[in-house]
Amino acid sequence: MAAPKNRRSVFLGRLPLPERNFLADALRTETVGGVLLLVAAVAALIWANTPLRGSYETVRDFHFGPGSLGLNLSVQHWAADGLLAVFFFVAGIELKRELVAGELRDPKAAVLPVVAAICGMAMPALVYFTVATSGNGSTAGWAVPTATDIAFALAVLAVIGTALPSALRAFLLTLAVVDDLFAILIIAVFFTSGLNFAALGGAVLGLVVFWLLLRKGVRGWYVYVPLAVVNWALMYNSGVHATIAGVAMGLMLRCHRHEGERHSPGEHIEHVVRPLSAGLAVPLFALFSAGVVVSGGALSDVFTKPETLGVVLGLVVGKAVGVFGGTWLAARFTRAELNPDLKWPDVLAVASLAGIGFTVSLLIGELAFGTDPVLTDEVKAAVLVGSLIAAVLASVLLKLRDNKYRKLCADEDRDDDQDGIPDIYEQDNPAYHLRMAAILEARAAEHRRLAEVASGHTTRDDGPA
């Protein structure tokens, strides 16, 4: 009998097996990259707050590159404008995949994470704007606390050892993907000035060529990598932030599979490039962006200056309230129900985890206050402090439910018939029940045989001994 049309969908329910496997593979790389990100951030802080500080500034501010092409940049700018283009390229592929094969492909299923992400960006901006205006501070940094750093968040999970169920991890990942989309739009719209239309036109033409080559099925990294570099350089010189080129090219890749394909081109390229992004590009960006001087006075200033206090409260309070509130509203006014194995405190814990806004928040902080180096460093310190507080708060909330999460994960991974497919995905399959009945009968027979041996009576296949 067909399911009733008004049947409610399960929010944070069990993922389809292919989606769960893909998510697990992606999160392994992100988790490792997040740990490297943590190491790089700590190294930057140590380097910038020891007698070696002079060498840190020398390396960070060292310029190189072809000046005739407008690319004589400092190491810090190469990391922010160049290496992060790789990060945003992967973000573009992730977004495309979510739109065609992931949580965002079904508008009804996409409502919850999209509304949660929008509220999770609007509320921190509102918190920052309120604090800044009430303290007569600059409102230029309203976008700083709006982004979530998925790699940093997963690194925190790896450190505290919480076995989050795949549905909660998928929700966190989808939040981050939508976050990235809106962060990209914010960068493109609010941090673009002095457009060079000739360079912009060249970048658009280069992107069209990139798209046409993909459509024609042209293969070979030696074609696409040089073209990608040219597109990036043109976008940089156009006045639009260069990372937009990475996003645009990522969105152009095909992420659905044709018949007979094991992986789509987008999945294959993401598999190749993601380790470069998570293991090299983002940690190097952190190394040359997180090196702010931290002293007792600087830390106290974080909680007294309106700009820095706005960032901290935006990340810690705004993100948690926005994501949780948006999720609750969407669940309240749509036909979605929370997975009965999970509770609303679980959503609050993930919402708090979304307050870890490292990579993109640091980038937006540089863009927003680039003309004031002192305030830029103070805002970076605020991002670090706010992300740390959010991480600690989320860790406490997650630890309170750790035993429940471990049980859910064990149920998801159990494979009693050892066919490589978790049993929970086969419960509606008659063949599974036949296999399980045979397995249980064989185990019962073995137990009976062992009991008979122990009691001194054995049974042979051809009759009593």
Side-chain angles (χ1 to χ4, degrees), residues 38-39 85 182 196 257 271 393 396 438 444 457:
L38 281 171
V39 171
F182 285 101
N196 181 331
R257 301 176 188 178
H271 179 74
L393 177 61
V396 171
H457 298 84

Side-chain angles (χ1 to χ4, degrees), residues 75-240:
V75 170
Q76 184 178 16
H77 278 126
W78 276 112
D81 294 312
L83 291 177
L84 275 196
V86 179
F87 167 79
F88 278 105
F89 174 70
V90 174
I93 299 176
E94 284 180 340
L95 177 61
K96 180 68 172 288
R97 189 186 179 283
E98 286 293 319
L99 290 170
V100 301
E103 290 289 302
L104 303 180
R105 70 187 183 279
D106 180 3
K108 293 181 180 179
V111 167
L112 271 163
V114 169
V115 170
I118 292 174
C119 292
M121 297 188 81
M123 186 58 69
L126 179 61
V127 169
Y128 177 93
F129 189 83
T130 302
V131 174
T133 52
S134 63
N136 296 320
S138 171
T139 58
W142 63 271
V144 174
T146 60
T148 293
D149 192 312
I150 182 65
F152 215 138
L154 292 173
V156 171
L157 289 179
V159 170
I160 66 174
T162 298
L164 267 189
S166 60
L168 276 174
R169 288 179 178 266
F171 180 59
L172 180 61
L173 180 62
T174 306
L175 270 179
V177 169
V178 180
D179 245 24
D180 286 342
L181 170 62
F182 285 101
I184 291 159
L185 294 175
I186 288 171
I187 291 171
V189 174
F190 295 100
F191 297 102
T192 294
S193 60
L195 286 177
N196 181 331
F197 288 99
L200 183 60
V204 172
L205 180 61
L207 291 172
V208 170
V209 172
F210 189 89
W211 180 78
L212 288 173
L213 291 174
L214 291 172
R215 293 279 291 179
K216 295 294 183 182
V218 176
R219 295 178 179 270
W221 65 267
Y222 46 83
V223 175
Y224 291 103
V225 172
L227 180 57
V229 172
V230 170
N231 289 341
W232 171 85
L234 288 168
M235 191 68 76
Y236 177 83
N237 281 288
S238 73
V240 178

Side-chain angles (χ1 to χ4, degrees), residues 449 452-453 457-465:
R449 188 187 70 79
E452 290 172 351
V453 169
H457 298 84
T458 60
T459 302
R460 297 171 55 92
D461 291 340
D462 56 323

Side-chain angles (χ1 to χ4, degrees), residues 435-446:
R435 286 198 307 274
M436 287 305 300
I439 290 170
L440 292 174
E441 177 59 30
R443 289 177 180 173
E446 180 66 13

Side-chain angles (χ1 to χ4, degrees), residues 257-270:
R257 301 176 188 178
H258 288 166
E259 187 176 353
E261 282 186 336
R262 291 188 61 189
H263 303 287
S264 67
E267 290 173 318
H268 173 70
I269 294 173
E270 181 185 10

Side-chain angles (χ1 to χ4, degrees), residues 386-405:
S387 297
L388 178 61
I389 294 173
V392 171
L393 177 61
S395 298
V396 171
L397 294 174
L398 291 168
K399 274 296 183 184
L400 292 175
R401 295 271 290 167
D402 193 52
N403 290 334
K404 181 66 175 179
Y405 295 148

